[in-house]
Amino acid sequence: MAQTKNVLLVGVGGQGTILVGKILSSGLVNAGFDVKMSEVHGMAQRGGSVSNQVRYGEKVYSPIISKGQADILVAFESMEALRWLEYLNPKGKVVVNDYQIPSAPILMGKQDYPEGVLDILKEKADTSVVKAAKLAQELGNIKSMNIVLFGALVKGMQLTNINWEQVIKNNVKPKTVEVNIKAFRAGLNAVS
């Protein structure tokens, strides 16, 4: 692979965005890629925005994705996809969770949650909407929605030749391995 690939993961504190970045990076390193990762989680404990950037290829010199460079934007919360959309490559893909977490200004009544977020995304980019929370809840643990989205990411980036199930087993608590493997498979099947 001559070209560096850019993955941008965005969400809200507590959604497991950072864990997915670590699982992705671990699997890519195991597969022989040079990988750089950076994470920003300001006010994450209070439901603030969280972003995680993963770049991989033969040789990667910086962990930072510039505006217009992301090959895939995976949003764990719907509005976060809009917030970060300018980082997407014009030929890139958006995988967005059909799930809303109101930010602090919305909770305080200072702003309204934007209407039609998913329609706006579909209008502006190649977008796959994943009902990750619903799928995770059906599997028995809503917290595994991050792994559902990870499965959709793997499919979207055509990284299915890596043994992700083993990587997931190595990175989650033993008591959650089974539900997370099911969540991963559900995510793979959630996108075309």
Side-chain angles (χ1 to χ4, degrees), residues 19-33 35 37 54 150 162 164 166-168 170-171:
L19 175 62
V20 167
K22 289 179 180 175
I23 291 171
L24 176 63
S25 297
S26 179
L28 292 169
V29 167
N30 292 347
F33 291 105
V35 179
M37 180 179 91
V54 178
F150 177 64
I162 295 173
W164 292 110
Q166 185 60 50
V167 179
I168 291 168
N170 294 342
N171 284 280

Side-chain angles (χ1 to χ4, degrees), residues 64-82:
I64 305 300
I65 299 171
S66 299
K67 290 179 181 174
Q69 281 192 331
D71 294 293
I72 191 164
L73 165 63
V74 181
F76 293 60
E77 196 279 332
S78 298
M79 189 170 63
E80 290 298 316
L82 271 185

Side-chain angles (χ1 to χ4, degrees), residues 18-65:
I18 301 297
L19 175 62
V20 167
K22 289 179 180 175
I23 291 171
L24 176 63
S25 297
S26 179
L28 292 169
V29 167
N30 292 347
F33 291 105
D34 186 29
V35 179
K36 299 284 188 289
M37 180 179 91
S38 71
E39 55 191 59
V40 176
H41 34 100
M43 302 291 284
Q45 300 301 324
R46 298 181 184 173
S49 183
V50 174
S51 68
N52 196 334
Q53 301 183 3
V54 178
R55 303 185 74 221
Y56 67 95
E58 284 184 16
K59 183 66 183 164
V60 180
Y61 295 97
S62 168
I64 305 300
I65 299 171

Side-chain angles (χ1 to χ4, degrees), residues 5-17:
K5 295 291 185 181
N6 303 300
V7 178
L8 179 57
L9 309 167
V10 299
V12 172
Q15 287 194 285
T17 310

Side-chain angles (χ1 to χ4, degrees), residues 39-172:
E39 55 191 59
V40 176
H41 34 100
M43 302 291 284
Q45 300 301 324
R46 298 181 184 173
S49 183
V50 174
S51 68
N52 196 334
Q53 301 183 3
V54 178
R55 303 185 74 221
Y56 67 95
E58 284 184 16
K59 183 66 183 164
V60 180
Y61 295 97
S62 168
I64 305 300
I65 299 171
S66 299
K67 290 179 181 174
Q69 281 192 331
D71 294 293
I72 191 164
L73 165 63
V74 181
F76 293 60
E77 196 279 332
S78 298
M79 189 170 63
E80 290 298 316
L82 271 185
R83 188 190 313 263
W84 290 90
L85 192 58
E86 64 186 329
Y87 283 81
L88 187 68
N89 177 319
K91 294 180 181 177
K93 297 178 183 180
V94 175
V95 172
V96 59
N97 188 5
D98 182 12
Y99 190 73
Q100 298 178 354
I101 299 176
S103 64
I106 293 170
L107 290 173
M108 291 187 299
K110 294 183 177 179
Q111 293 179 350
D112 293 324
Y113 198 96
E115 291 184 27
V117 170
L118 300 178
D119 291 335
I120 294 168
L121 290 168
K122 288 177 186 173
E123 193 175 288
K124 294 186 174 190
D126 178 3
T127 301
S128 295
V129 178
V130 178
K131 296 184 179 298
K134 181 177 181 280
L135 289 168
Q137 206 157 24
E138 288 171 0
L139 294 171
N141 187 343
I142 193 167
K143 290 182 178 179
S144 66
M145 79 170 116
N146 62 333
I147 304 299
V148 172
L149 291 165
F150 177 64
L153 160 65
V154 165
K155 184 87 167 271
M157 290 300 288
Q158 300 175 353
L159 291 168
T160 52
N161 58 340
I162 295 173
N163 184 355
W164 292 110
E165 293 188 8
Q166 185 60 50
V167 179
I168 291 168
K169 286 178 188 173
N170 294 342
N171 284 280
V172 301

